[in-house]
Amino acid sequence: MKSFIFLFTILFSMTSFAQNTILPLWPNNIPNSIKTDEKEEVVSADIVRIAKVQLPQIEVYLPAKKIATGQAVLIFPGGGYGILAYDWEGMDFAKLLNSKGIAGIVVKYRLPSLKSQTEIHKVPLQDAQRAIRTVRSKAAEWNIDPNNIGIIGFSAGGHLASTLGTHYNEEVNAKQDAIDQMSARPDFMTLAYPVITMGAPNTHGGSRKNLLGENPSQKMVDHFSNELQVTADTPPTFLVHATDDTAVPVENSLLFYTALIKHKVAAEMHIYPTGGHGFALGLQDPHLATWTDQWIGWLHSLNN
């Protein structure tokens, strides 16, 4: 019996240390939220897919203090603003970052829903702004430098990341507390095969429809075409894309890179000949898999 209790204690201790911190983004009132019977859906097959997010949150992965660099990256999984590829473009990257001494924070952001939200086009940005502000508010507790917090987004998550990077000063909800007083500007950003433009011919139709609706005005299209929103204050940016991406054309990254250079914003871009869309870590191709090495090297260079 004593041996069993000892073993249970050890296992419980190991489990406790392995747990990640999960925090709701809006502990009080979730903006643009309507109470309905809509339920969050989680499907675990080849990857974990989350749809109809009801309670937006962040899942925090911290590196061992001995190797911590003080840098942090918020991670926005993709999925066409219809689902979140939560492990494929979320947790897997948080673990990679931790191995390099960088905090990884996966953002479970709300997806536009006419049933449970008002002003659906504002909802993802509301959660993104709140997420980075929340991380800044916890910087001291999590051993993070509040001036070294960046973002990465994939596909539609890349659109959200580029929206945050270009619309960080936009007031999209009433301020609720001290967290909402903090800066929402990322210190750097990474965009992986991102949706950037909402205009023809290079937009991703599904992402545009889910975020802006069937027939958005030209004003709305331009507002969320983030290559048009770049300024000299846009954060330094790393882009990666595959030329043979038939879902989100490589022109999306090219448009954003061109805008960055025009405004003299530091930028690095890697275009691979093959890889298609949604390659994530790129482990299926030895050449493509080198992109994360380039990315981590770029992240470390920001500390110099």
Side-chain angles (χ1 to χ4, degrees):
M1 184 64 182
K2 288 182 179 179
S3 297
F4 174 79
I5 292 174
F6 176 75
L7 179 61
F8 177 82
T9 301
I10 293 296
L11 290 174
F12 178 80
S13 177
M14 292 173 64
T15 302
S16 297
F17 279 116
Q19 287 179 341
N20 305 307
T21 300
I22 296 178
L23 288 180
L25 290 179
W26 307 98
N28 299 315
N29 300 313
I30 302 176
N32 278 2
S33 181
I34 303 170
K35 288 186 178 181
T36 69
D37 59 356
E38 190 171 56
K39 303 294 184 183
E40 186 168 303
E41 298 175 357
V42 180
V43 176
S44 298
D46 53 336
I47 64 173
V48 176
R49 295 173 173 86
I50 303 178
K52 301 178 182 179
V53 174
Q54 300 299 305
L55 297 174
Q57 64 187 34
I58 52 174
E59 185 167 356
V60 182
Y61 292 75
L62 299 177
K65 286 186 177 181
K66 189 173 182 178
I67 64 168
T69 66
Q71 201 168 40
V73 177
L74 283 79
I75 306 164
F76 297 94
Y81 283 123
I83 61 108
L84 302 178
Y86 195 75
D87 56 349
W88 182 250
E89 296 170 344
M91 294 185 294
D92 287 353
F93 281 83
K95 295 169 185 176
L96 170 64
L97 288 165
N98 278 187
S99 72
K100 307 299 181 180
I102 303 168
I105 297 101
V106 186
V107 185
K108 190 177 79 171
Y109 57 92
R110 285 174 295 161
L111 302 159
S113 168
L114 290 170
K115 186 172 183 180
S116 60
Q117 300 160 10
T118 61
E119 296 185 293
I120 62 171
H121 61 281
K122 290 185 178 181
V123 166
L125 181 56
Q126 288 174 335
D127 290 351
Q129 287 187 355
R130 180 72 179 190
I132 194 166
R133 285 170 169 150
T134 299
V135 173
R136 280 212 165 92
S137 75
K138 295 286 188 178
E141 180 181 338
W142 293 342
N143 196 31
I144 291 171
D145 178 352
N147 299 311
N148 202 354
I149 299 173
I151 57 178
I152 183 172
F154 302 83
S155 192
H159 183 265
L160 178 54
S162 67
T163 304
L164 178 59
T166 55
H167 298 252
Y168 54 84
N169 275 334
E170 186 174 328
E171 293 190 15
V172 289
N173 57 268
K175 298 187 185 304
Q176 294 188 10
D177 52 27
I179 292 175
D180 282 336
Q181 304 294 332
M182 307 198 81
S183 172
R185 182 184 182 275
D187 294 300
F188 53 89
M189 63 179 171
T190 301
L191 308 175
Y193 40 89
V195 179
I196 293 293
T197 188
M198 288 286 133
N202 294 313
T203 192
H204 178 250
S207 296
R208 168 174 154 152
K209 178 182 176 182
N210 286 335
L211 183 67
L212 304 183
E214 288 279 3
N215 298 297
S217 67
Q218 189 60 48
K219 182 179 180 181
M220 186 74 77
V221 168
D222 290 346
H223 187 71
F224 284 98
S225 291
N226 292 325
E227 77 278 13
L228 304 178
Q229 308 304 325
V230 173
T231 71
D233 293 324
T234 300
T237 303
F238 181 105
L239 295 118
V240 62
H241 219 123
T243 304
D244 66 347
D245 190 333
T246 57
V248 178
V250 69
E251 282 80 4
N252 281 266
S253 285
L254 297 174
L255 285 167
F256 201 74
Y257 180 80
T258 300
L260 292 167
I261 297 307
K262 177 182 176 181
H263 291 278
K264 296 181 171 53
V265 176
E268 181 171 331
M269 181 168 63
H270 294 262
I271 304 296
Y272 289 81
T274 59
H277 188 68
F279 52 76
L281 292 169
L283 300 181
Q284 66 275 22
D285 182 317
H287 179 49
L288 186 62
T290 64
W291 88 261
T292 55
D293 295 331
Q294 304 300 322
W295 174 50
I296 295 297
W298 179 79
L299 291 176
H300 286 324
S301 76
L302 299 175
N303 293 325
N304 298 330

